[in-house]
Amino acid sequence: MSLDASSIAMERGGGGDGDVEASAYTGESMMYAQHATIYAQQNDYYTDVDTTPQLQSAAGQTLTFRISGIVGLCITGILWIIVSWRLLYHYSGWWSKCCKKKEQQGQEILGEEDEEVVINHLRTDGFTMKRLLHIMLWITMIVQGVGYADMVGTDVSNKLNYTLLDIVGRGILEFTTFVIGTIHWFNVTSKARAGASEKKVMFTLLPLILVFATVAVTVCSIFEAVVLLAGHSEDIHEFRSTSKIHRITLIVESSGWGIHAVVVSICGGMVYKRISSLPTFSQVRSRAKRNIITKMIIPIFFCALSYALRSAWMAADFASRILRPDSTFESGLGWWIGNCWIPTIVPSMMLLYSIRKRDREPGMIDGVSETLLQRINAEPQDYDDPFQSFHTLIIEDENATIGSS
């Protein structure tokens, strides 16, 4: 009996140790399993973040979001400084009292000069198309700068920087700003009588088409922003791949930029036709012709190319979303250069160059030199008919060419 009891006790004791070892082994296994699960989740998470740019291989070599943000922030900062300078320049005649001081000096020196100063002063007041364009471009640079700064700080494409850059910055503000510049060109061209063979309806129809395109792009961009911000998806790549509103916005923006490029090209053709049809243009030397064409046609030409470039990239991205859902053009090096940076830099600089003079002075597209400011009282129609004054510019350029030779 004692042996049986001791054996039973030993069996029980051995069984107790086995249970302890088994439970310890099970707990250790569960711990390893938990660590493996956490590692797998972390690995999947970092894989998603790192491979998001890899899916953009259709646009060429990829850039990290931080590098893209740094480059974009530098570009936006430089443009913002230039736009701020030009904005202050255009508003300086309105804010300061320099015109009033000149008016008082003119009264002391010569009454006729005072009348000219008063006219110039009146033309600096008010809210004009040039000032509106500068304000819109200034706001655009601020919004995009904030988006690029967030991208630099987070090194990811999140809801905030995507909304500021792609939707609000390029989708709404940039498109609207550049349309304002095109409408300004049409307003200047419509005032020309020299060689005006187009129907007047064109000067109303084409800007109206741009207005409708602006409304369509703005509405689609707003819907996309609402769907993105109200949705539960934190992965921008997933939103781009699965969202129908993103595809709709892509094709609408692509069409809008394409229409804008065509309209700007038509405007450039109108300007060139009016210049070349002037009676004395054929008598101007080649050097003067190149100078005139460069100042008046080149800005329009480069703007049209930039709009067409952005339209092509968006159309390619839309086609890629349909044909190859696992790849996209967005966030690749080609996308940043061809769709984001060049179509922002070139039109901004061309428009700033085109409207560089204050409203009280005849603009660059108007084709009027500084010396014509002395004839405001004698020829007030120069402001209403800039291409009529262009005849004087040709004569002055020709005289300057002859004098230099």
Side-chain angles (χ1 to χ4, degrees), residues 300-321:
I300 298 177
F301 175 75
F302 277 107
C303 284
L305 283 183
S306 300
Y307 304 154
L309 180 63
R310 176 167 287 177
S311 174
W313 273 103
M314 288 189 167
D317 188 28
F318 174 80
S320 176
R321 296 289 181 186

Side-chain angles (χ1 to χ4, degrees), residues 189-403:
T189 308
S190 64
K191 297 176 183 179
R193 290 197 296 266
S197 59
E198 298 87 356
K199 296 181 180 179
K200 292 183 179 180
V201 68
M202 295 296 292
F203 297 101
T204 303
L205 178 62
L206 293 178
L208 191 61
I209 292 175
L210 290 180
V211 172
F212 282 123
T214 304
V215 172
V217 171
T218 302
V219 170
C220 289
S221 298
I222 292 174
F223 272 106
E224 184 181 7
V226 171
V227 172
L228 173 63
L229 298 177
H232 301 287
S233 176
E234 296 294 336
D235 189 356
I236 299 299
H237 173 69
E238 179 183 355
F239 172 79
R240 291 170 173 172
S241 302
T242 60
S243 176
K244 293 182 179 179
I245 186 62
H246 178 66
R247 296 182 181 180
I248 295 174
T249 304
L250 273 178
I251 193 62
V252 171
E253 286 193 26
S254 176
S255 302
W257 287 108
I259 293 172
H260 197 180
V262 173
V263 172
V264 171
S265 301
I266 295 175
C267 179
M270 292 179 177
V271 173
Y272 180 78
K273 183 180 294 184
R274 279 159 170 71
I275 296 173
S276 60
S277 62
L278 290 170
T280 57
F281 185 75
S282 58
Q283 304 174 6
V284 179
R285 294 190 176 185
S286 300
R287 180 180 178 182
K289 286 184 179 180
R290 287 195 301 269
N291 185 34
I292 294 168
I293 296 299
T294 300
K295 291 182 178 180
M296 304 179 70
I297 303 299
I298 294 301
I300 298 177
F301 175 75
F302 277 107
C303 284
L305 283 183
S306 300
Y307 304 154
L309 180 63
R310 176 167 287 177
S311 174
W313 273 103
M314 288 189 167
D317 188 28
F318 174 80
S320 176
R321 296 289 181 186
I322 301 299
L323 302 178
R324 298 176 58 189
D326 58 335
S327 65
T328 177
F329 279 79
E330 299 180 31
S331 295
L333 178 60
W335 175 266
W336 285 110
I337 296 177
N339 179 75
C340 301
W341 296 332
I342 291 180
T344 296
I345 299 172
V346 175
S348 298
M349 296 304 297
M350 292 296 101
L351 287 173
L352 290 175
Y353 175 78
S354 176
I355 60 174
R356 65 189 184 277
K357 294 185 179 181
R358 292 192 182 99
D359 293 283
R360 65 184 177 88
E361 300 175 1
M364 181 272 299
I365 292 295
D366 303 350
V368 183
S369 61
E370 297 288 342
T371 57
L372 292 179
L373 291 174
Q374 302 174 359
R375 309 172 189 174
I376 296 177
N377 296 327
E379 301 180 24
Q381 68 274 13
D382 289 346
Y383 288 98
D384 299 327
D385 186 17
F387 280 85
Q388 184 70 21
S389 302
F390 181 76
H391 177 274
T392 307
L393 174 68
I394 294 180
I395 297 176
E396 293 174 355
D397 286 344
E398 179 68 11
N399 293 335
T401 305
I402 296 174

Side-chain angles (χ1 to χ4, degrees), residues 126-157:
F127 195 71
T128 63
M129 187 75 74
K130 291 183 179 181
R131 288 166 181 164
L132 175 62
L133 195 151
H134 282 84
I135 292 174
M136 290 293 297
L137 193 58
W138 188 81
I139 296 174
T140 302
M141 294 302 107
I142 290 182
V143 172
Q144 292 187 3
V146 174
Y148 281 123
D150 180 76
M151 185 177 292
V152 173
T154 59
D155 196 20
V156 295
S157 178

